Amino acid sequence: MSPATPLAVLALAATVGIAALMALTRLANRPGRAAAILTPMLFAVLVLFLWEVLTRGLAVPQVLLPAPSVIARAFWNASPELLQDVRQTVLFAAIPGFVCGSALGMVTGIAVDRSPFLQQGLLPLSSFASVIPIVGVAPIMILWFGFGWQSKAAVVLLITFFPAFVNMVAGLREASPIERDLMASYASTYWQTLWKLRLPAALPFLFTALKVNASLALIGAIVAEFFGAPVYGLGFRISAEIGHLALDRVWAAIAVAAAVGSGSYALLTAAERAATFWHPSQLPGSDRNS
Amino acid sequence: MPDSPHAETLDIETTQPREQARAAVVSVENVAVSYPSREGVFHALSDVSLRVARREFISLIGPSGCGKTTLLRLIADLAQPSTGTIRVNGGTSRQARGDRSYGYVFQTPALQPWRTALANVMLPLEIIGLAANERRARATAALMAVGLGDAASRYPWQLSGGMQQRVSIARALSLRPELLLMDEPFGALDEITRDKLNLHLTDLWRDRDLTVIFVTHSIPEAVFLSTRIVAMSAKPGRISRVIDCGLPRRRTLDIRNTPEFLAISKQVRDALSDAYANE
Ligand SMILES: Nc1ncnc2c1ncn2[C@@H]1O[C@H](COP(=O)(O)OP(=O)(O)OP(=O)(O)O)[C@@H](O)[C@H]1O
Ligand SMILES: [Mg+2]
C-alpha cells in the first residue's frame, strides 16, 4: 500500500463526513415526525459507512477492529448459535432475574415504607449493600446454583434488587401531604391510599428503576457467564471467541447484545410514555426546549 | 340539575343564625394545639372555642400563621388537639371522618394528574365502594353543579386554575356531605373568577342546606359569604372576635355596595387590625 492511500482515505472520510453532517443538521431542524425518525437512522448509516471506509482504507488489523461488513458476515454465519446464545442469556437469565429482582425490590420497598422497624433496620443496611459490586458474587452463585442459567438469573436478581428497592422507597414519598390528607379525609385505608395515590405517583420512579435494571440485567447475565457457563450464552460466546481471536464473532455477539438492550429500552420507554403520560416530563412541550 | 333533593326546601330568608341552642354540627371546646420549638413551646392554637350550627356559613379570617388551617384540620380529624374536645355531628371527629360526613377543599386543588376531571370527582366514590354506574352518575351531577359538565374528560393540566378548583369542589360535593370545610379555596384566583365562584358557592350552600367553615384572607369575600365571621390573631393563635353577619341568605354581588355590607366590613377590618397590631 502506498503511503498516499491513508491520506486519501482520511480526506475522503472527512469530506463525506462533513457533508453528511451538514445535511443531517438541516434535516434535524426540520419539524415533523419523519425528520425525527430519519435523522438518527441516517446518522447510524453514516457512522457505519465511516467505520467501514476507515478500517478498510487504513488497513486496521482485524484483531483491533473489524469492519462492519466483516462483523455482518460473521453474524450471518453464526446466527444459529447466536440465536441460541440470546435464548440462554436473555430468556433464561436476564428476564427471569430482572422480573424477580425488580418485583422483590419493589415489594421490599413497600414493606419498608409500611414498617418503621424495617425502615430503621433495613434502610441503612441497604445503602451499605448497594455499594457491593454484585457481579463479584457471580462465582459464589455458580457454587450455589451450578453452571446453568439459574446462577446467572440469581446474579441478575441481586443486581436489579437495589435500584427497584431504592426507587420504590423514594417514589412512595412523592405524594404530597395535601394529597394524603385528601385520602385521609375519605377515611381511605392504607391499601386504598397506596393503590389509588401513592403507587401511581411513584410510577415515574419505578420506570426509572426498570430502565436502569434492563441494562443491568443484560450486563449481569453476560458478565456472570464469564465465570463459567454451559457451551452457549452471549457472555460465553464473547469469552470463548476472544480466546480463538475470532474478533468478528465477538463483535457480532456484542452487536446482538446491544440490539437486545436497546430493544428492551425502547419497549420500556414506550410503556413509560403510556403509563405516565400525565407527568410533566411527558407532557407535550416538555421536550421542545431541552 | 339531576340531584337537588333540597330544591323545594329553599328557605324563607332567615337573616340571623338563631340556631345556637340547636345541636351544633361542630363544637370546639377549649382547644389548644402546641408544638415543641426551640424557644420552648409554640402555641398554634390556644383556648379556642367555637360552636357551629346547621346551615351556618362561618369564615375564619386572620393573619398568616394564626392557626386557621390547624383549626380546620382538627375538625376534619387530620390532626389532634393537645387539649380540649372537638365534636362533629354529636360524635367525635374520628367518627365523623369515618362516616365521611364532611367534604374538605384544600388550598391547592390537589387533583390527580392521571385522572380526568370526572375520574377525579369519582375518586372518593371509589373509596367508599360505590357501584360504577352510580359513581359516574353522581360525579357527572357534581361536575354539572359547579358548571363543568363539558370539561369532564379533560385532564387537570388542561384546565385553568379556577376550573381545577371547581373540580376539587365538585369532588368534595360528590360524597354529598352536609358539612363543607374549605381552606382558602379561591386564594390563588383572579378577582372576577373569584366573584363568580363566590356567587356559585352561596347558591350551593343555600340550595343544599350545607354548613360551611371557610378560611379566607379577603374581607369582602368573608362578608359576602358568611353568616358569622371569626377573626383570629396569632401568637398564640386564638379567636379575637366573632362578628355576626346578618345579610339575607339569598345574596347577589350588588349586596357589596349596601351600607350594611360596608358596616360589617369595617367591623371585620377593625378586628383584624387589632390582630395584626399584636404581631
Ligand atoms: N406540624 C407542625 N409543627 C410545628 N409547627 C406547626 C405545625 N403545623 C403548623 N405549625 C405552626 O402553626 C402555626 C399555624 O399554622 P396554620 O397553617 O394553621 O396557619 P394559617 O392560619 O393557616 O396560616 P396561613 O394563612 O398562612 O395559611 C404556624 O405558625 C405553623 O408554623
Ligand atoms: Mg393555612
Side-chain angles (χ1 to χ4, degrees):
Chain A
M1 200 188 324
S2 79
T5 323
L7 272 182
V9 169
L10 280 180
L12 171 72
T15 322
V16 173
I18 290 170
L21 274 181
M22 277 162 63
L24 275 179
T25 315
R26 289 187 54 185
L27 179 66
N29 286 337
R30 289 256 294 267
R33 230 180 132 64
I37 296 172
L38 222 57
T39 312
M41 279 171 60
L42 289 177
F43 189 77
V45 170
L46 175 67
V47 168
L48 286 177
F49 172 78
L50 292 178
W51 180 351
E52 182 83 34
V53 168
L54 289 174
T55 46
R56 283 189 183 273
L58 302 177
V60 177
Q62 251 203 35
V63 207
L64 287 186
L65 186 63
S69 60
V70 176
I71 297 172
R73 193 166 334 111
F75 172 80
W76 185 252
N77 291 337
S79 59
E81 289 104 306
L82 282 175
L83 215 66
Q84 208 178 19
D85 293 341
V86 168
R87 216 168 77 99
Q88 172 76 12
T89 305
V90 177
L91 245 46
F92 291 156
I95 290 181
F98 168 85
V99 170
C100 296
S102 303
L104 214 63
M106 290 179 187
V107 169
T108 313
I110 293 175
V112 162
D113 172 80
R114 180 85 167 119
S115 143
F117 165 73
L118 285 181
Q119 221 161 76
Q120 281 159 16
L122 211 64
L123 227 43
L125 186 74
S126 81
S127 58
F128 169 72
S130 64
V131 297
I132 299 176
I134 294 173
V135 186
V137 305
I140 300 174
M141 291 299 119
I142 290 175
L143 216 68
W144 287 2
F145 299 110
F147 281 98
W149 57 267
Q150 293 88 342
S151 55
K152 283 65 183 180
V155 171
V156 172
L157 185 152
L158 286 177
I159 296 184
T160 52
F161 176 86
F162 285 105
F165 169 70
V166 169
N167 276 286
M168 178 57 103
V169 170
L172 287 178
R173 297 191 179 135
E174 267 297 280
S176 69
I178 282 194
E179 290 174 296
R180 292 175 203 215
D181 277 352
L182 179 74
M183 299 305 277
S185 80
Y186 306 142
S188 146
T189 63
Y190 172 84
W191 295 108
Q192 282 177 323
T193 303
L194 186 71
W195 189 246
K196 301 249 181 230
L197 169 65
R198 300 179 68 204
L199 280 179
L203 272 180
F205 282 78
L206 300 185
F207 272 104
T208 303
L210 290 182
K211 287 194 292 189
V212 167
N213 277 352
S215 58
L216 281 183
L218 201 58
I219 294 171
I222 288 174
V223 173
E225 286 175 7
F226 291 174
F227 296 94
V231 291
Y232 35 77
L234 287 170
F236 166 80
R237 185 74 47 208
I238 291 171
S239 61
E241 300 293 0
I242 213 139
H244 308 143
L245 285 184
L247 266 292
D248 50 348
R249 290 191 162 212
V250 172
W251 279 98
I254 290 174
V256 170
V260 171
S262 34
S264 59
Y265 191 85
L267 218 65
L268 282 170
T269 308
E272 178 182 34
R273 193 164 303 152
T276 64
F277 65 95
W278 46 268
H279 195 257
S281 68
Q282 301 284 351
L283 292 182
S286 63
D287 55 2
R288 208 165 290 154
N289 306 321
S290 59
Chain B
M1 206 175 58
D3 67 337
S4 50
H6 311 299
E8 65 280 47
T9 64
L10 270 182
D11 58 295
I12 351 72
E13 316 263 292
T14 27
T15 49
Q16 198 66 29
R18 282 153 301 177
E19 291 98 329
Q20 299 296 5
R22 269 202 251 153
V25 175
V26 174
S27 94
V28 176
E29 266 159 48
N30 309 108
V31 157
V33 174
S34 42
Y35 298 106
S37 77
R38 260 172 294 145
E39 304 96 50
V41 188
F42 176 81
H43 297 281
L45 283 177
S46 148
D47 196 24
V48 169
S49 297
L50 178 69
R51 290 170 70 84
V52 181
R54 210 169 90 75
R55 293 169 67 219
E56 270 200 285
F57 196 119
I58 304 285
S59 283
L60 306 179
I61 193 166
S64 191
C66 68
K68 306 179 291 293
T69 300
T70 305
L71 180 54
L72 220 53
R73 285 168 50 83
L74 292 179
I75 297 168
D77 189 45
L78 299 176
Q80 301 307 319
S82 309
T83 59
T85 54
I86 293 176
R87 314 276 297 169
V88 180
N89 290 334
T92 62
S93 53
R94 171 76 29 104
Q95 286 162 349
R97 181 165 69 94
D99 296 341
R100 283 98 175 182
S101 41
Y102 66 80
Y104 200 120
V105 179
F106 293 85
Q107 196 161 352
T108 57
L111 301 178
Q112 297 188 335
W114 53 88
R115 286 171 175 262
T116 60
L118 185 71
N120 264 293
V121 178
M122 289 198 289
L123 173 66
L125 307 178
E126 284 168 24
I127 301 290
I128 66 172
L130 220 57
N133 51 350
E134 172 80 354
R135 281 205 300 261
R136 183 164 291 274
R138 264 219 227 176
T140 309
L143 269 183
M144 306 256 264
V146 297
L148 281 181
D150 48 357
S153 59
R154 291 214 239 156
Y155 284 94
W157 71 83
Q158 299 168 324
L159 301 171
S160 71
M163 291 164 98
Q164 289 182 26
Q165 199 52 282
R166 272 145 78 192
V167 173
S168 91
I169 293 171
R171 182 177 58 190
L173 291 174
S174 72
L175 283 170
R176 296 187 181 151
E178 295 187 339
L179 174 62
L180 207 51
L181 307 173
M182 306 178 89
D183 193 354
E184 289 184 57
F186 309 136
L189 304 181
D190 67 85
E191 201 87 356
I192 304 297
T193 312
R194 196 176 184 146
D195 282 352
K196 238 167 74 183
L197 294 187
N198 279 341
L199 208 55
H200 222 104
L201 181 58
T202 40
D203 289 345
L204 281 171
W205 163 66
R206 201 185 51 233
D207 295 349
R208 301 195 173 194
D209 284 342
L210 297 175
T211 307
V212 182
I213 305 180
F214 185 93
V215 173
T216 180
H217 277 138
S218 157
I219 296 175
E221 183 172 69
V223 179
F224 177 72
L225 291 170
S226 312
T227 56
R228 260 196 308 162
I229 297 169
V230 175
M232 298 177 68
S233 55
K235 289 179 194 158
R238 63 195 182 281
I239 293 177
S240 58
R241 186 130 29 118
V242 177
I243 296 149
D244 277 330
C245 190
L247 299 167
R249 283 178 75 85
R250 183 179 294 283
R251 296 170 188 192
T252 57
L253 291 172
D254 325 325
I255 206 170
R256 293 183 298 188
N257 301 319
T258 60
E260 294 91 330
F261 189 96
L262 297 174
I264 298 166
S265 299
K266 182 167 183 321
Q267 281 183 46
V268 178
R269 190 173 307 276
D270 292 344
L272 279 185
S273 36
D274 290 350
Y276 276 90
N278 289 343
E279 291 252 292

